[in-house]
């Protein structure tokens, strides 16, 4: 009788262990599925941003109602957005680096004024379509950092795209680039 009780207890403990293991696996699978969904949402957003600029400016260029300076600006935006989209696709093809945390960065000296101006130009069409004023104040002094200009622009695009997306019609989004004065250590 004692051996039957012990066997039942062991069987119950094994069943409980299997149940906990199954629940942990389910939680893990749900977490992985959410991560995949989040990744696809981010990827979709990243690919749509430059594509929106390309399609928007292409449509405007087809209308033939642009001043010469606007024509140049539109073509520059299309070209820059196409390059960015190409880079995004190349990054996707190199998923092993992203997954392993070894994303390739092209580090160089970057003037953040150029990054801000480029990102604002890329998002400006979406802002116009939503009836949102998009302004920038970058100053005249160089603001240099060492970084990957495309990644920096990508980050700023995301921020600006979300700001435009969540700003009500008639609202304003302003980008201000400034440096903080470094205190004199003496």
């Amino acid at each position: 009788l004692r051996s039957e009780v012990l066997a039942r207890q062991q069987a119950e403990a094994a069943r409980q262990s299997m149940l906990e293991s199954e629940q942990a696996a389910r939680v893990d699978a749900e977490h992985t599925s959410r991560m995949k969904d989040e990744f696809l949402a981010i990827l979709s957003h990243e690919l749509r941003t430059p594509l929106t600029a390309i399609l928007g400016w292409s449509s405007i260029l087809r209308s033939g109602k642009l001043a010469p300076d606007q024509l140049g600006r539109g073509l520059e935006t299309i070209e820059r957005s196409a390059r960015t989209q190409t880079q995004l696709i190349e990054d996707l093809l190199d998923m092993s680096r992203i997954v392993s945390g070894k994303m390739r960065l092209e580090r160089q000296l970057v003037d953040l004024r150029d990054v801000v101006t480029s990102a604002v130009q890329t998002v400006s069409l979406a802002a116009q379509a939503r009836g949102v004023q998009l302004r920038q104040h970058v100053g005249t002094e160089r603001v240099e950092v060492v970084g990957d200009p495309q990644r920096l622009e990508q980050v700023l695009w995301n921020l600006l795209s979300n700001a435009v997306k969540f700003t009500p019609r008639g609202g304003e989004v302003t980008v201000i680039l400034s440096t903080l004065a470094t205190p004199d250590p003496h």
Side-chain angles (χ1 to χ4, degrees), residues 65-124:
K65 300 175 184 175
L66 287 177
D69 65 321
Q70 289 178 313
L71 177 66
R73 184 173 149 221
L75 290 172
E76 286 172 10
T77 301
I78 288 171
E79 184 179 347
R80 185 176 48 258
S81 296
R83 271 196 229 108
T84 299
Q85 186 123 31
T86 299
Q87 183 63 48
L88 288 169
I89 291 167
E90 286 175 15
D91 288 346
L92 280 175
L93 296 174
D94 199 8
M95 283 301 284
S96 63
R97 283 190 172 161
I98 294 171
V99 169
S100 67
K102 296 178 182 176
M103 184 179 288
R104 183 184 59 222
L105 295 176
E106 300 295 326
R107 293 181 196 163
Q108 61 191 47
L109 194 58
V110 179
D111 185 351
L112 290 179
R113 295 175 307 164
D114 297 334
V115 172
V116 169
T117 299
S118 181
V120 166
Q121 286 176 351
T122 302
V123 178
S124 67

Side-chain angles (χ1 to χ4, degrees), residues 9 67 98 111 160 176:
Q9 287 175 341
I98 294 171
D111 185 351
L160 287 174
I176 300 171

